[in-house]
Amino acid sequence: MTTQTISRKPSPRIAQYWALTKPRVTQLAVFCAVIGMFLASEELPDWHAVVFGTVGIWLLAGAAFAVNCLAEREIDARMARTARRPMAMGDITVKQTVVFALVIGGLGMAILYHLVNPLTMWLTFVTFVGYALIYTMVLKPATPQNIVIGGLSGAMPPALGWAAVANDVPMQAWLLVLIIFVWTPPHFWALAMYRRDDYARSGLPMLPVTHGLKFTQFHVWLYSIALAATTLLPYAVRMSGLIYLVSAVVLNAGFLYYAWKMYRHYTDLIARKAFTFSIIYLALLFAALLVDHYIPLGS
């Protein structure tokens, strides 16, 4: 297989390091962690825990994504979607990436341990290991169920944020983790379906490549139904009230609409729209949890 050949002027070094952290993905993860922080307190949470917890979690997440870019640099170079990443282009060396990941990861751990609490540091470190090592290096190249099995590490941010404020991870925090865990497969498989040619070139055993579109479409539909049910649990256990319930029902209607369209009338355009909507869906769902927490109508 040949790599993507791209001619362009190298971006500034700081932009290359910034790109290693996959900032758009990191921002969504940190957003979910911050929501966990605010849900962990009846009143506004301690600003010290919020600020330093956010910084520490962001740094360790960035380090995990940098390790991911390092491990998948040859795979990224074969895919149009990822061929412009700094390591895939050869703009940053292995040594530079390792040092960068160690520095920001170590700084993140120090901030969490000394300025937040040891529980948050250890949970975030375990999440780092789960994503950067177990998922990226073991599961992703080994099984088409990689995103399902490895999805727990990506679902952890709300628990990390909750731990930063409460120094505890109760059942409510794990419900938020469960929501992201169930959300991840239909979210990612929508991307994998319309990028299936890319993944075929990569050599990774992604579900649309190994089992075909029809099989993947059906599983997206099944997981979307499971997600709709899972998102009602916060209301069922009286963690949230009517604002969240109404928001969840409306958002799930949209998610199920796209899942059904992909299942029955698939096109790459529909899958692309579904992928984009899934990101908006998660952000709005967690925002609704936050609003409901401070305006608990009917709880």
Side-chain angles (χ1 to χ4, degrees), residues 257-278:
Y257 166 79
Y258 279 112
W260 179 253
K261 290 281 285 185
M262 281 192 291
Y263 177 43
R264 299 297 297 175
H265 308 287
Y266 179 83
T267 66
D268 286 350
L269 179 60
I270 291 172
R272 188 186 296 270
K273 289 181 177 180
F275 175 75
T276 301
F277 177 77
S278 68

Side-chain angles (χ1 to χ4, degrees), residues 23-264:
R24 287 186 295 181
V25 183
T26 305
Q27 287 164 14
L28 182 60
V30 172
F31 171 76
C32 293
V34 171
I35 296 297
M37 294 176 189
F38 279 85
L39 295 180
S41 175
E42 290 297 326
E43 305 296 332
L44 290 175
D46 175 54
W47 71 267
H48 184 277
V50 172
V51 171
F52 290 109
T54 299
V55 172
I57 292 169
W58 192 304
L59 288 170
L60 266 169
F65 288 126
V67 172
N68 173 267
C69 288
L70 171 63
E72 296 187 345
R73 61 192 184 280
E74 294 182 2
I75 293 172
D76 286 346
R78 294 196 290 266
M79 300 174 63
R81 183 175 68 90
T82 56
R84 292 183 178 274
R85 288 176 178 171
M87 289 221 69
M89 296 296 297
D91 293 336
I92 295 182
T93 67
V94 170
K95 181 179 178 180
Q96 289 170 330
T97 303
V98 169
V99 171
F100 175 69
L102 286 174
V103 169
I104 66 171
L107 180 60
M109 289 181 66
I111 289 173
L112 292 177
Y113 187 88
H114 294 289
L115 300 178
V116 184
N117 58 62
L119 174 63
T120 306
M121 187 276 285
W122 285 115
L123 284 174
T124 309
F125 177 71
V126 169
T127 302
F128 168 89
V129 172
Y131 178 82
L133 303 180
I134 297 174
Y135 168 67
T136 297
M137 298 183 184
V138 178
L139 293 173
K140 196 170 182 179
T143 170
Q145 292 296 316
N146 45 33
I147 197 65
V148 178
I149 304 170
L152 180 59
S153 59
M156 283 295 291
L160 307 180
W162 203 295
V165 168
N167 199 20
D168 188 22
V169 189
M171 175 270 294
Q172 293 92 330
W174 292 113
L175 280 184
L176 304 183
V177 171
L178 180 62
I179 289 172
I180 300 179
F181 179 76
V182 180
W183 166 86
T184 300
H187 158 73
F188 186 82
W189 284 333
L191 168 68
M193 281 192 287
Y194 77 81
R195 289 286 190 178
R196 60 193 177 278
D197 292 339
D198 243 4
Y199 282 111
R201 285 193 296 270
S202 76
L204 293 172
M206 294 303 173
L207 200 64
V209 177
T210 60
H211 290 69
L213 279 179
K214 289 292 185 183
F215 186 87
T216 309
Q217 290 162 218
F218 180 61
H219 278 70
V220 166
W221 174 241
L222 290 181
Y223 269 94
S224 299
I225 295 172
L227 176 63
T230 302
T231 56
L232 299 182
L233 290 176
Y235 181 78
V237 300
R238 301 186 66 79
M239 174 184 171
S240 62
L242 288 177
I243 291 177
Y244 171 75
L245 177 63
V246 172
S247 301
V249 168
V250 172
L251 288 169
N252 281 319
F255 203 101
L256 289 169
Y257 166 79
Y258 279 112
W260 179 253
K261 290 281 285 185
M262 281 192 291
Y263 177 43
R264 299 297 297 175

